[in-house]
Each structure stands twice: as structure tokens, then as C-alpha cells.
């Protein structure tokens, strides 16, 4: 069951991740010609649609 947000979101938030995961996503982004932000957005989109 999906619930709609009760308020609008501005689209920015801070996330703490391990240094290893940070390095891995940064390398992925560079290898695919993407910004770190674009790579993270892609990963989240693949998880939740």
C-alpha cells in the first residue's frame, strides 16, 4: 500500500553512509559520466520506483 506524502517535499536531504559505500557510488558515477547526485537518485529510483 502506497501512501501519498501529507506535505510537499523540496527534494533535498542529507544521508550518512559508510565511507566504502560513498567511494563505490562515487566511482560508479564517474564511470558512467554522472554526477554523484544523479547516481544516488538513480539508485533510489531503482529501489522505490
Amino acid at each position: 500500500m502506497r501512501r501519498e506524502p501529507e506535505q510537499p517535499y523540496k527534494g533535498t536531504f542529507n544521508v550518512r553512509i559508510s565511507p566504502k559505500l560513498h567511494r563505490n557510488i562515487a566511482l560508479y558515477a564517474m564511470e558512467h559520466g554522472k554526477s554523484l547526485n544523479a547516481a544516488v537518485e538513480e539508485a533510489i529510483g531503482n529501489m522505490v520506483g
Side-chain angles (χ1 to χ4, degrees), residues 28-35:
Y28 173 90
M30 286 190 299
E31 289 169 359
H32 291 85
K34 299 176 182 233
S35 68

Side-chain angles (χ1 to χ4, degrees), residues 16-28:
R16 288 184 174 81
I17 60 175
S18 71
K20 181 179 178 183
L21 184 57
H22 189 169
R23 180 181 185 278
N24 288 345
I25 192 71
L27 288 172
Y28 173 90

Side-chain angles (χ1 to χ4, degrees), residues 2-44:
R2 285 200 150 186
R3 293 176 43 192
E4 292 298 316
E6 295 177 13
Q7 62 184 9
Y9 289 87
K10 65 181 186 172
T12 61
F13 62 97
N14 294 319
V15 177
R16 288 184 174 81
I17 60 175
S18 71
K20 181 179 178 183
L21 184 57
H22 189 169
R23 180 181 185 278
N24 288 345
I25 192 71
L27 288 172
Y28 173 90
M30 286 190 299
E31 289 169 359
H32 291 85
K34 299 176 182 233
S35 68
L36 180 58
N37 191 69
V40 171
E41 184 174 4
E42 177 184 328
I44 293 170

